[in-house]
Amino acid sequence: CHINGNLEEGVVVMDQGHAELAECHIRDNKGPGIDLSESGSVTMHGCWVKDNVGGIFLWDMSKAIMQKVHLNGGQSHALLADSDSRPRLRNCVVEGVIQATEVGWGGIRNSGNELYELEDPTVLPAEEGCFKFEADKYTRKQ
């Protein structure tokens, strides 16, 4: 599959939703390639996430299981694992800034992953566009 050119996120999974992605190319989106919140989860195998405004962002109690995924944050962090989120990476390549809780790092650090820092670190995007907080639970994730 190809998910590209969206004005906001490429893939959004929230509440108790789950996405299965195999050999997908998620790129050139104006928000994160993948954005997980609440108890949303994703399982990915053989995917490329690159050139978005962020790679994969995990919030709340979300979970991501990634195997053989190539992850690049583009203009923002490659991986953001906030709160009680649980990223699990196996044999993945991550290019860019990783911001994670100590629990999150437990699922990122292993000998099968390749983690590369950029010469010029990225920052989190400004609160505008799809990153602007809007307190409306029916149209935007909180």
Side-chain angles (χ1 to χ4, degrees), residues 71-90:
L71 187 59
N72 173 296
Q75 299 173 32
S76 188
H77 292 21
L79 186 113
L80 173 69
D82 187 50
S83 261
D84 296 318
S85 64
R86 300 281 193 271
R88 297 289 178 257
L89 284 68
R90 298 290 180 257

Side-chain angles (χ1 to χ4, degrees), residues 2 76 78 140:
H2 292 270
S76 188
R140 298 294 301 155

Side-chain angles (χ1 to χ4, degrees), residues 42-118:
V42 66
T43 301
M44 302 171 67
H45 185 273
C47 296
W48 285 75
V49 180
K50 62 184 287 186
D51 298 330
N52 302 288
V53 182
I56 181 167
F57 288 7
L58 293 92
W59 306 100
D60 310 312
M61 297 177 293
S62 59
K63 296 178 186 173
I65 298 172
M66 297 180 271
Q67 185 173 9
K68 297 182 180 177
V69 171
H70 193 115
L71 187 59
N72 173 296
Q75 299 173 32
S76 188
H77 292 21
L79 186 113
L80 173 69
D82 187 50
S83 261
D84 296 318
S85 64
R86 300 281 193 271
R88 297 289 178 257
L89 284 68
R90 298 290 180 257
N91 301 314
C92 294
V93 175
V94 181
E95 299 173 329
V97 174
I98 298 172
Q99 181 174 327
T101 62
E102 200 56 41
V103 172
W105 273 108
I108 298 167
R109 290 186 190 119
N110 73 60
S111 61
N113 294 323
E114 299 176 41
L115 309 177
Y116 299 101
E117 293 182 18
L118 302 175

Side-chain angles (χ1 to χ4, degrees), residues 1-21:
C1 74
H2 292 270
I3 300 168
N4 60 299
N6 292 294
L7 296 177
E8 296 189 3
E9 299 92 336
V11 175
V12 175
V13 184
M14 54 199 320
D15 299 326
Q16 289 80 37
H18 179 74
E20 297 269 341
L21 303 172

